[in-house]
Amino acid sequence: IAPAAPAAGDAAALARGWTLLGQGQAEKASQAAVDLLRTSPRSVAVLSLLVEAEIVRGGPNAALDAYDRWLERRRMEDGYPMRRRCCRR
């Protein structure tokens, strides 16, 4: 099963989330990702934003917690969003 891409309207919201993260607003970026996951729950692109925002907000363990919450709603794991968390010490 291929990962779902964000819906057309969600692509702009995803871009805004990355912009927020780039501006140092990790909490708002994280919330934007959580909101987007409601409409695109299988989107690895949205999950990647959430993981990156959580790394900035609370470190690698916060990112892992966010990933675990996402994984609870899936049948199959996707390790790509966790690549950076696994490489950090």
Side-chain angles (χ1 to χ4, degrees):
I1 299 174
D10 291 345
L14 180 60
R16 283 191 299 276
W18 283 108
T19 298
L20 288 167
L21 186 59
Q23 294 172 339
Q25 299 181 50
E27 188 168 332
K28 288 182 179 181
S30 180
Q31 186 58 54
V34 168
D35 293 345
L36 282 167
L37 283 172
R38 288 189 188 104
T39 58
S40 299
R42 293 178 33 223
S43 174
V44 174
V46 175
L47 176 62
S48 294
L49 171 61
L50 178 60
V51 167
E52 292 295 324
E54 288 301 306
I55 286 172
V56 173
R57 283 183 61 191
N61 288 334
L64 183 58
D65 289 344
Y67 176 77
D68 285 342
R69 286 190 303 273
W70 176 81
L71 190 59
E72 289 172 358
R73 298 182 300 260
R74 301 205 22 120
R75 291 186 209 153
M76 194 167 22
E77 227 174 308
D78 190 328
Y80 180 77
M82 295 306 297
R83 72 199 180 286
R84 214 170 79 100
R85 190 257 178 223
C86 295
C87 297
R88 293 180 68 114
R89 296 186 189 260

